[in-house]
Amino acid sequence: MEANLRQRKSKSWFSRQRPEDKAFLIFAYVLLFLFVIAIIIPMAYIVVASFIDPITLQNHGISFDFSKWTLTAYERVMSNAQIWVGFKNAVIYSIVFTVISVFVTLLAAYPMSRKDFKGRGFFNVLFLITMFFGGGLIPTYLVVSNLGLLDTMWAVVLPGAFSVWNMIIARTYYQGIPDELREAAEVDGADEVTYFFKVLMPVCIPVIAVLALWQFVAMWNSYFDALIYIDDAAKQPLQLVLRSILIQNQPEAGMVSDIQSTAARAQLAELLKYATIVISSLPLLVMYPFFQKYFDAGIMAGSIKG
């Protein structure tokens, strides 16, 4: 009964739209459907290809004959020590980077959201300038080198820890919180530090979750900083290992070394690409559903209020 009532309401809403609005809605839904297909098809291809026998994949492409499927690629990837070292480093870098970045961003956004903060306009302009102009790679490398951070985790984590865009999102979210909350905290004797950590932070869970997810994904997918600043293989994140497999077509030693035929080595190397992509994407696929509920409250609040 309720389903029929909802269906009638939806039909009546659509029927009330003007012809040009109906045409626009249909176009929007078709375009959205095409976008979804464009995302799903490559993902499905990579997942299926990672299970197919390399000879079958090279000669016939995708096959749904399960007798041609194999776990060889996953067995070799999972048994490779460098993959696990890179995975561990990627997790550590991403977590440390996320904690530092979100903490610094929230601290910077709080005074910028206060109308009684002297110099607010000056710092706003200063922050905005850095969004359009940067020193470039060579000055940044020299700064990292002079600080003695080369070939350490901090060379990857610290330079990009602060994001002006994320600060603006957090600042706008702060501005949407009623001033009465701060006044009530002051009446109860809370100082700025107490108010920030014990009153304001619990209210800002949605925007914190969104910023944390953004920064974690950014560091997880990043490889360029590690490529520039880190030489020790034991400190390289998973992205550099994945890069050597995908771009340079050079799987780690031991993954294909026991294959005698050059053609067989090339076939297995191609298969390892797909398996490595799937394994490296799993943490992000697992995280997204848990953070999805915070997106509306976090992103929309930071984009609507001016």
Side-chain angles (χ1 to χ4, degrees), residues 60-123:
H60 305 286
I62 294 295
S63 173
F64 290 96
D65 181 3
F66 294 104
S67 63
K68 304 294 184 181
W69 287 34
T70 178
L71 296 176
T72 302
Y74 288 97
E75 291 173 355
R76 290 181 178 271
V77 170
M78 300 296 287
S79 62
N80 183 262
Q82 187 60 35
I83 291 288
W84 287 108
V85 171
F87 193 91
K88 180 196 70 174
N89 291 335
V91 171
I92 294 175
Y93 292 178
S94 299
I95 292 177
V96 173
F97 175 78
T98 300
V99 172
I100 294 177
S101 178
V102 173
F103 184 69
V104 171
T105 300
L106 294 176
L107 286 179
Y110 176 63
M112 299 302 297
S113 67
R114 296 279 298 271
K115 296 180 180 180
D116 57 346
F117 175 56
K118 295 182 180 179
R120 176 186 176 192
F122 169 76
F123 285 106

Side-chain angles (χ1 to χ4, degrees), residues 12 22 27 62 76 91 105 156 169 234 263:
S12 61
K22 292 181 181 180
F27 173 77
I62 294 295
R76 290 181 178 271
V91 171
T105 300
V156 178
I169 295 293

Side-chain angles (χ1 to χ4, degrees), residues 102 105-114 167 169-179 195-196 200-201 204 207-208:
V102 173
T105 300
L106 294 176
L107 286 179
Y110 176 63
M112 299 302 297
S113 67
R114 296 279 298 271
M167 187 274 293
I169 295 293
R171 181 195 67 186
T172 309
Y173 191 92
Y174 287 154
Q175 292 173 343
I177 298 176
D179 294 335
Y195 169 72
F196 180 81
L200 193 60
M201 286 299 97
C204 297
V207 73
I208 293 175

Side-chain angles (χ1 to χ4, degrees), residues 212-223:
L213 180 61
W214 282 353
Q215 297 303 87
F216 187 93
V217 172
M219 177 54 65
W220 183 267
N221 292 328
S222 174
Y223 73 91

Side-chain angles (χ1 to χ4, degrees), residues 20 73 139 141 166 196 225 252-253 268 287 295:
E20 55 270 25
Y141 183 88
N166 289 347
F196 180 81
D225 288 344
E252 295 295 324
L268 183 57
M287 287 178 59
F295 276 16

